[in-house]
Amino acid sequence: MASGGNPQFRYTQPPSKVIHVRNLPWECTDEELTELGSLFGKVVNTKCNVGANRNQAFIEFADQNQAIAMISYYASSAEPAQVRGKNVYLQYSNRQEIVNSKNTGDAAGNVLLVTMEGVLPDAVSIDVLHLVFSAFGYVHKIATFEKASGYQALIQFSDAETASSAKAALDGRCIPSYLLPELDGSCTLRINYSAHSVLNVKFQSHRSRDYTNPYLPLAPSAIDGSGVAQDGKKEEPESNVLLASVENMQYIVTIDALHEVFSAFGFVQKIAIFEKNSGFHALIQYPDIQTAVKAREALEGHSIYEGGYCKLHLAFSRHTDLNVRVMHHSLVMSKFGITKCTIVLGNKDFDAPGKTTCAI
């Protein structure tokens, strides 16, 4: 570290004419990087939005001495390097030049990765995305999700040519405001090619759609607060048992965590958790329908953990009384001929303290 004690600068690499910049603001531009480095010499190349969070970049100078001048200045300066008022961290790169080789985000494919800027998650529906992208060809599948980099979607076309034409026309453009009448501001599309070639869509829902398979089952998460599913089907009759589907699982969801969340609305009698179609689900039993309705209205669409993690989608189950039996893991596995049990949590009957069972 430099004598000035500036934590922005790290002597981790020998000098290079390429500087590695970290902690950049979201969607930093080439112009901003050029402006940052131009005080010290001629910037001949830049590369933005590098790394998993797309908050890193590279600046290449015409001469190594210019890069040394930049590093030396900020290593001893009391004023840190900044982009848009945000402190950024500098070090020499382990490369001597920026090579803009193709990677998975640059190689053309039939699936596009779309980042929607300026909107909250779910502010742009799958129907709007389908309307926008189907103007360029038949859209097979769409899946939307939340990541640290923002609200994103994967759009699968028939071939790379169709995807390329859509990317060329829409990258950097805004979704027409008349398609998003409730949105204040604009939604800008940033489009890259995905490494995927086929999306695995198991349910039709508000987060995923397979236009090639109209018989795909409807997910519980596709049911909105009005009681009508997105495909027009009636919601299941009300029940004292809720079916919870958990998405964006960045943390393990335990029975105790579910009990703490759902018991805020009344006495929870039983909880059963299970995995189905690679998804995490739970059944929560209340003594009466009224308590279940109250919990569903309060918790639908909310997350167990801050940051949108472990988001709940709730529907009424056809069950009215969960059969939580006392069974040892080995007995369950022997009975069903199972040699490997992948469920590690279980069920719990809160009317019978101390009794647990393996969830199959």
Side-chain angles (χ1 to χ4, degrees):
M1 184 172 291
S3 59
N6 191 335
Q8 288 187 313
F9 179 72
R10 303 189 306 176
Y11 285 105
T12 58
Q13 297 292 340
S16 165
K17 64 180 180 179
V18 179
I19 294 195
H20 181 199
V21 188
R22 300 177 294 115
N23 199 44
L24 286 161
W26 170 245
E27 288 296 332
C28 178
T29 64
D30 292 308
E31 291 76 13
E32 289 174 311
L33 291 174
T34 300
E35 182 181 358
L36 178 64
S38 60
L39 295 174
F40 305 93
K42 182 180 180 180
V43 175
V44 296
N45 202 357
T46 60
K47 189 170 185 178
C48 301
N49 306 315
V50 176
N53 295 324
R54 302 180 68 185
N55 65 345
Q56 302 179 49
F58 295 97
I59 301 174
E60 180 182 344
F61 287 96
D63 184 86
Q64 180 173 288
N65 290 328
Q66 297 168 346
I68 292 174
M70 183 178 184
I71 289 292
S72 300
Y73 175 80
Y74 284 114
S76 58
S77 174
E79 295 295 329
Q82 292 186 334
V83 175
R84 292 187 222 159
K86 184 177 183 180
N87 292 355
V88 298
Y89 306 117
L90 310 173
Q91 66 185 83
Y92 294 117
S93 172
N94 58 4
R95 63 184 75 184
Q96 293 298 316
E97 63 179 350
I98 295 175
V99 179
N100 292 313
S101 58
K102 289 187 179 293
N103 51 40
T104 51
D106 298 324
N110 66 310
V111 178
L112 298 178
L113 173 62
V114 181
T115 301
M116 290 160 274
E117 296 180 351
V119 298
L120 295 174
D122 295 326
V124 180
S125 69
I126 281 184
D127 293 332
V128 169
L129 290 172
H130 183 261
L131 184 63
V132 171
F133 283 87
S134 62
F136 301 90
Y138 179 58
V139 174
H140 284 219
K141 302 173 184 178
I142 298 178
T144 62
F145 51 94
E146 299 170 47
K147 298 281 281 187
S149 51
Y151 184 42
Q152 298 181 306
L154 289 168
I155 316 287
Q156 179 181 330
F157 287 100
S158 304
D159 49 64
E161 290 75 17
T162 307
S164 296
S165 63
K167 181 179 184 298
L170 296 175
D171 189 21
R173 302 288 295 275
C174 296
I175 294 178
S177 58
Y178 65 84
L179 294 178
L180 302 171
E182 298 181 358
L183 180 66
D184 293 330
S186 59
C187 174
T188 304
L189 302 176
R190 303 294 180 186
I191 305 176
N192 294 299
Y193 294 108
S194 169
H196 298 283
S197 58
V198 177
L199 302 183
N200 185 18
V201 175
K202 297 183 177 181
F203 295 101
Q204 310 284 26
S205 74
H206 76 294
R207 280 295 181 91
S208 60
R209 202 72 57 84
D210 184 346
Y211 297 97
T212 67
N213 184 5
Y215 303 104
L216 200 65
L218 188 71
S221 59
I223 300 174
D224 63 25
S226 66
V228 179
Q230 290 181 357
D231 65 350
K233 294 180 181 179
K234 292 291 185 181
E235 185 183 352
E236 291 293 327
E238 293 180 348
S239 167
N240 65 309
V241 178
L242 294 177
L243 171 62
S245 300
V246 183
E247 66 179 30
N248 195 21
M249 284 190 61
Q250 301 295 321
Y251 305 106
I252 294 176
V253 177
T254 65
I255 282 185
D256 290 337
L258 289 171
H259 183 260
E260 182 177 353
V261 170
F262 285 88
S263 63
F265 304 94
F267 177 67
V268 174
Q269 292 179 311
K270 302 174 184 178
I271 296 178
I273 62 176
F274 57 97
E275 293 180 1
K276 184 176 181 181
N277 296 316
S278 300
F280 181 92
H281 307 275
L283 290 166
I284 298 93
Q285 179 177 327
Y286 287 102
D288 52 69
I289 293 176
Q290 291 76 14
T291 307
V293 170
K294 181 172 65 174
R296 182 179 185 272
E297 291 177 349
L299 294 175
E300 168 59 31
H302 288 270
S303 300
I304 297 176
Y305 300 103
E306 291 183 2
Y309 299 126
C310 301
K311 190 173 184 179
L312 294 170
H313 291 292
L314 303 172
F316 293 109
S317 171
R318 66 179 184 276
H319 300 287
T320 58
D321 186 23
L322 302 182
N323 184 16
V324 177
R325 296 171 295 175
V326 181
M327 300 180 68
H328 190 271
H329 283 66
S330 59
L331 295 178
V332 175
M333 294 167 69
S334 174
K335 180 178 178 181
F336 290 93
I338 299 173
T339 59
K340 182 180 180 182
C341 185
T342 58
I343 306 300
V344 297
L345 295 176
N347 307 334
K348 186 169 287 189
D349 185 340
F350 292 92
D351 282 327
K355 295 183 179 180
T356 60
T357 179
C358 176
I360 298 299

